Amino acid sequence: MTQDDIKTLDTPPDLGRRKFLNTAALVGLSGAGLSVGLSACNKKESAPAAGAPSAQGEVKGEVGEFGKYEVPPGQLDDYYSFSSGGHSGEVRIYGIPSGRELKRIPVFNMDPLVGWGITNESKAILGTKPNGTPKYTTGDTHHVHQSYTDGVYDGKYMFVNDKIHGRLARIRMDTMECDKITELPNVQGFHGTFTDKRDPVDSKINYTTRVFCGGEFAIPLPNDGRDVNDPTKYKSLFTCVDSNTMEPRWQVLIDGNCDLVASSYDGKLAATNQYNTEMGVHYEDMMAAEMDACLFFNVARIEEAVKAGKVTTIAGSKVPVVDGTRASNKDPKTALTCTVPIPKNPHGVNISPDGKYYACSGKLSPTASVIEHDLVLKWFDGELANPRDAVVAEPEIGLGPLHTGFDNKGNAYTTLFLDSQIVKWNVAEAIKAYKGDKNAKAVVDRIDVHYQPGHGFTSMGETKDSDGKYFISDNKFSKDRFLPVGPLHAETAQLIDISGDKMKLVADHSVYSEPHDSIIVRRDIIKTRQIYNMDEFPLAVKDPKESGVFRNGKKVTVKLTSQAPTYSLREFKLKKGDEVTIILTNHDKVEDLTHGFGIPKYDIQFIVNPQETKSVTFIADKPGVYWCYCTNFCHALHLEMRTRMIVEA
């Protein structure tokens, strides 16, 4: 690559090249009086006919050069990709590099396929109102992160947030099923979350026990109506949840909000990028300051303060709260938090695999800010006068920088929302340039994506074992990339090979709206079980001879087993008005032999996997005959797998 080539790479691209902007995009960048307009054509476009090639959709080169990224029939992918599902409330699993969707894990959503939100077991996890109906029927998953042992995924748990209702869910990785949900007290807009990569080094524990959770929306605390018209009383909370008990350990009262979250590899710091440090409640108030911030939390000091009782509580919660506001943390030697000024409206903070640097990009600035971990610690020790001096690089990389992933060669990859690009830049070169080295060139490469990338992530990039093989760009627009399916388009997860000097776009993977963030995990880390252990289920019907109808007044329990192609009861009788609990245990031991149980007109459907037990409770309020049938194809005589539920008037 010549010096001229590098100069071209460092030059901001021509925004007019993107044809897709004819759907009208206008971005006002306020704060410093800067306004960038992306003008649009007035021409109205219709969707291309199926099969008609589009200019942007044409692939350069022979199909054969992409063959190595395909996974032949019968072979397995090298990686799992775990992705949030956005306002579907679920988590999704894809194989990489194939992009094949492998599973959707219901978490905060109802899912009749598996019976999530229908069975008693899932309702107990989701939470219900006193009348037994779901407490919430919506969810908004954004960020998924796994548990760690010494900086590397350990395959034990995965955690995901619910932004809309302030909940954190834990997913068991051996079954890929949610087993616990916690609602955070006094929090709205729970956006960013991250597991601790390692407990403090002076601890005897070296595995994840903390999950850090950032509250995005500032609200009156307590939010009971008393201070709704006094924005000076609005605050946000940063929460630490114990990953084992799934109960909040502590909360930190802060100014501004929390967007995304990062954790250090030595267990000493957690971080969140902040926009709206002005604490504004209206748009113009949120854009008044020249800078926003990246806020760092000194984990050991916070836990010492909690232990010493230097806490308060907020009405309706017993969780200890410490004061992390700017006014109360001016003395570095006693401060619990450190505020590092960052260009306006940062979206995302990510730490490099070597644990030395955080990348935090203000999306209204064409730069990425690099913050040195050790310098933040020096500020806490009183050895650094100005927190802004912890910023050691600020390369100009392009318009609309959002999220950054890292490879194993010292390079960073940042999504540029406005430029519709991924930019590859070298951290060491960026630091040299910041120090005044005119020969240093931070930007290494650029690649166009289609279009407007939000989150982006590298393979194993959130661990110290980042391998520098793949980058996935989750794009918010996919116009003309796929067959048209109406106004709601699929989104695009574009697979980019980053193993060489030049990035290479190798696949378009369509995804259903609207994922936010993902992680790519080596397949050898994930160890799943293929069947359950019947002894784990207290209600298990262990012997078909235990089947039957057991009445206690108007409360009736029906115990059943399933074993292809029959249920243990050919029929069972109820009376109108009975409160019925059906308990079903799958006695098959064959991997992948799942049975379903559906009751017509009673809105009940769930599945039981091999050796699993589930139960449902309902009121038998409709007299008649109802054929309960297996909903999950299981056997050559699957259609005959039925039992009669007879409800007598």
Side-chain angles (χ1 to χ4, degrees), residues 240-252:
C240 176
V241 174
D242 187 292
S243 67
N244 294 319
T245 65
M246 285 294 285
E247 293 298 324
R249 284 189 183 183
W250 42 260
Q251 293 183 305
V252 184

Side-chain angles (χ1 to χ4, degrees), residues 413-430:
Y413 301 79
T414 301
T415 57
L416 301 178
F417 184 80
L418 298 183
D419 279 341
S420 287
Q421 287 187 329
I422 308 303
V423 58
K424 175 181 178 180
W425 52 281
N426 185 269
V427 177
E429 287 292 298

Side-chain angles (χ1 to χ4, degrees), residues 306-559:
V306 172
K307 187 176 181 180
K310 298 177 181 179
V311 300
T312 60
T313 57
I314 298 172
S317 169
K318 296 180 180 180
V319 179
V321 178
V322 298
D323 188 347
T325 59
R326 289 189 289 273
S328 300
N329 289 268
K330 294 180 179 179
D331 183 354
K333 293 187 177 181
T334 59
L336 306 181
T337 60
C338 171
T339 302
V340 177
I342 294 295
K344 199 67 184 155
N345 285 67
H347 187 59
V349 55
N350 302 87
I351 190 169
S352 58
D354 59 11
K356 294 181 179 180
Y357 305 104
Y358 302 85
C360 185
S361 301
K363 62 178 178 285
L364 298 191
S365 170
T367 59
S369 299
V370 179
I371 304 168
E372 187 171 332
H373 176 74
D374 285 348
L375 290 179
V376 177
L377 293 178
K378 284 186 176 182
W379 182 86
F380 278 114
D381 291 337
E383 299 175 19
L384 188 73
N386 188 343
R388 174 66 186 173
D389 291 338
V391 176
V392 295
E394 215 151 52
E396 185 170 324
I397 58 176
L399 296 181
L402 298 182
H403 298 278
T404 299
F406 297 91
D407 64 15
N408 56 351
K409 302 171 186 175
N411 298 311
Y413 301 79
T414 301
T415 57
L416 301 178
F417 184 80
L418 298 183
D419 279 341
S420 287
Q421 287 187 329
I422 308 303
V423 58
K424 175 181 178 180
W425 52 281
N426 185 269
V427 177
E429 287 292 298
I431 294 172
K432 289 179 183 178
Y434 196 71
K435 291 179 178 179
D437 185 344
K438 295 183 179 180
N439 294 320
K441 296 292 182 180
V443 175
V444 178
D445 191 20
R446 297 181 187 276
I447 190 169
D448 294 340
V449 291
H450 308 274
Y451 308 92
Q452 296 195 307
H455 292 268
F457 41 97
T458 54
S459 48
M460 293 293 291
E462 298 283 7
T463 77
K464 67 180 184 181
D465 281 357
S466 180
D467 58 26
K469 291 185 178 180
Y470 292 115
F471 181 93
I472 289 183
S473 176
D474 272 344
N475 306 326
K476 294 305 175 186
F477 296 89
S478 67
K479 177 181 171 182
D480 63 36
R481 302 303 290 180
F482 305 116
L483 289 173
V485 290
L488 179 62
H489 290 234
E491 293 190 7
T492 320
Q494 292 193 299
L495 184 67
I496 299 171
D497 185 338
I498 60 172
S499 60
D501 292 335
K502 300 284 290 182
M503 293 181 285
K504 181 180 179 182
L505 178 61
V506 297
D508 281 3
H509 298 152
S510 62
V511 292
Y512 184 62
S513 293
E514 185 204 36
H516 285 267
D517 201 13
S518 306
I519 55 175
I520 305 176
V521 183
R522 290 197 322 266
R523 75 182 190 193
D524 63 281
I525 292 174
I526 306 301
K527 308 293 184 184
T528 61
R529 57 199 299 186
Q530 304 311 112
I531 65 172
Y532 287 90
N533 183 342
M534 195 181 294
D535 293 335
E536 296 179 10
F537 301 95
L539 298 180
V541 185
K542 295 185 176 181
D543 190 323
K545 294 179 182 178
E546 299 174 11
S547 303
V549 178
F550 304 89
R551 179 175 291 277
N552 181 13
K554 296 293 289 182
K555 293 189 176 182
V556 178
T557 301
V558 180
K559 296 183 178 181

Side-chain angles (χ1 to χ4, degrees), residues 619-649:
I619 302 297
D621 56 359
K622 292 178 283 293
V625 172
Y626 300 91
W627 285 103
C628 306
Y629 67 99
C630 180
T631 54
N632 203 83
F633 205 102
C634 60
H635 188 272
L637 295 178
H638 164 71
L639 294 179
E640 288 76 16
M641 189 169 177
R642 291 184 281 168
T643 180
R644 281 190 305 162
M645 182 177 79
I646 300 171
V647 181
E648 298 175 337

